[in-house]
Amino acid sequence: MSDANIHSANRSGGDSEKGLDSMDGRGCVIKTRHGMLDARRRTVLMGIINVTPDSFYDGGKRLDPDRAAADGMSMVETGADILDIGGESTRPGAGVVSTEEELQRVLPVIQRLRRHVKVPISIDTYKAQVARAALIEGADIVNDISALRFDPQMALLVTAEKVPVVLMHMQGTPQTMQAEPHYKDVLREVQDFLAAQVRFAIEAGVDRENIIIDPGIGFGKTLDHNLTLLRGLPTLASMGQPLLVGASRKTFIGKILRLEPDERLEGSIAAAIAAVFAGAHIIRVHDVNETRKAIRVADAIRFGVPGAQR
Ligand code: 9MG
């Protein structure tokens, strides 16, 4: 997929979506085939299971499907509300994986998890064929980093299957995105892009309630772009769709702290908590146990603790 294809596909102009309802609670509840995700008074946590040899942090750790499934089960035990299964690395410069290879990586993990966990499973793919097979095996949500742009069949699939879909912003492709990210006004452009893709999805037949938006931290962004977007999350939250943020162990944290991915836990938790207070509904993380504890405290500060002694 060339950049030219991506930028010409489905874009209906740079205007921001004026017609979106403001957040009224409606946008915080997501219905899935395996239950409801209610983010009205609690942050939803998505645990990352990469079944890849080359992901930037956990690449190569879960090539055995039994190990990947066991990790998913322990994420659920420690507080994951969703498990996100990916079979193609999206780190900057990562190679494209064939559909067959991606299917061989993710399906055995989804099959095992579906037998053992009740939480919704999300399939991290931009390929409709992979998403379709994953949904058949029991996945519930499609996490599409291309926001329905890379595969024309994807919008048809999520419409027909009536499943929630994550629309993420990315400038370029994983192969090109960090070459020279450029924006005049990153927050405005990301908001306009997400509004245009929400409109595209709705016109294709996707229910508004099934659309989750995501600024795509680290996808074609400099350190400054990422920080501006995290600071601007309230603007994106006000678009009225559930808002997902993924900052876990990403390069911008390494740039701030001058630390490698395996030393970025504390920075990742700080970013997650900042996102929660800025209005994010779903946080995508590698470290479920640690992040869940931090978020429980953040949620208690935001909403109180039911039955707490005064
Ligand atoms: C697959 N993947 C990697 N980072 C991500 C992010 O920030 N958001 C979403 N939706 N997916 C991501």
Side-chain angles (χ1 to χ4, degrees):
M1 165 103 27
S2 73
D3 285 7
N5 285 341
I6 293 162
H7 290 297
S8 62
N10 311 330
R11 299 293 304 267
S12 47
D15 59 324
S16 69
E17 177 87 304
K18 301 283 192 307
L20 290 176
D21 298 327
S22 62
M23 184 62 76
D24 57 1
R26 170 192 56 77
C28 305
V29 181
I30 304 156
K31 286 189 198 132
T32 80
R33 294 169 176 177
H34 286 86
M36 211 146 78
L37 296 162
D38 186 348
R40 283 174 299 189
R41 295 179 64 79
R42 178 179 178 280
T43 304
V44 171
L45 202 52
M46 173 186 267
I48 303 169
I49 303 276
N50 284 320
V51 197
T52 58
D54 57 342
S55 289
F56 77 97
Y57 172 60
D58 53 356
K61 290 184 186 166
R62 303 200 178 97
L63 296 179
D64 171 9
D66 288 324
R67 163 79 200 270
D71 285 354
M73 287 182 248
S74 84
M75 283 186 187
V76 172
E77 275 164 25
T78 54
D81 301 300
I82 309 170
L83 295 174
D84 190 37
I85 317 300
E88 178 177 310
S89 170
T90 52
R91 71 174 164 74
V96 171
V97 167
S98 71
T99 301
E100 293 66 34
E101 175 68 30
E102 200 176 328
L103 286 167
Q104 276 173 24
R105 291 179 185 177
V106 297
L107 293 188
V109 180
I110 295 171
Q111 286 158 353
R112 282 165 174 75
L113 281 171
R114 201 61 292 166
R115 286 201 290 271
H116 293 105
V117 301
K118 293 196 169 63
V119 301
I121 293 173
S122 143
I123 174 71
D124 158 20
T125 189
Y126 55 82
K127 300 185 187 93
Q129 237 182 293
V130 174
R132 184 178 295 110
L135 294 174
I136 289 169
E137 295 302 335
D140 304 279
I141 298 170
V142 175
N143 177 18
D144 182 357
I145 61 159
S146 85
L148 305 178
R149 295 172 303 147
F150 288 4
D151 185 337
Q153 298 302 313
M154 192 64 111
L156 301 174
L157 177 71
V158 294
T159 301
E161 294 296 324
K162 297 194 173 305
V163 290
V165 60
V166 180
L167 305 182
M168 194 197 79
H169 176 272
M170 165 169 50
Q171 189 175 81
T173 67
Q175 290 73 49
T176 64
M177 63 190 183
Q178 288 309 115
E180 211 173 330
H182 181 78
Y183 304 84
K184 283 201 179 102
D185 178 341
V186 65
L187 179 58
R188 174 72 195 231
E189 287 170 54
V190 168
Q191 184 185 17
D192 286 351
F193 169 87
L194 292 173
Q197 293 312 114
V198 169
R199 202 162 41 227
F200 169 76
I202 289 171
E203 280 165 12
V206 181
D207 290 339
R208 180 183 286 282
E209 289 72 25
N210 275 341
I211 302 174
I212 300 161
I213 56 171
D214 180 341
I217 298 299
F219 284 82
K221 281 113 186 166
T222 63
L223 169 61
D224 198 43
H225 295 144
N226 288 313
L227 297 179
T228 303
L229 285 172
L230 287 168
R231 215 173 287 129
L233 288 178
T235 301
L236 303 182
S238 76
M239 291 171 67
Q241 302 301 136
L243 176 63
L244 186 154
V245 175
S248 184
R249 294 186 183 263
K250 287 187 176 170
T251 301
F252 82 96
I253 297 170
K255 285 187 179 162
I256 297 167
L257 299 177
R258 296 179 197 276
L259 291 173
E260 294 302 312
D262 64 351
E263 301 170 299
R264 296 176 191 163
L265 173 62
E266 298 87 344
S268 301
I269 293 175
I273 298 305
V276 166
F277 277 103
H281 303 97
I282 307 173
I283 303 291
R284 183 179 182 275
V285 296
H286 298 94
D287 307 285
V288 168
N289 185 23
E290 297 85 345
T291 315
R292 174 51 83 196
K293 287 180 197 160
I295 285 180
R296 276 177 65 188
V297 176
D299 284 347
I301 295 167
R302 293 196 306 158
F303 304 119
V305 179
Q309 284 190 328
R310 290 175 194 275

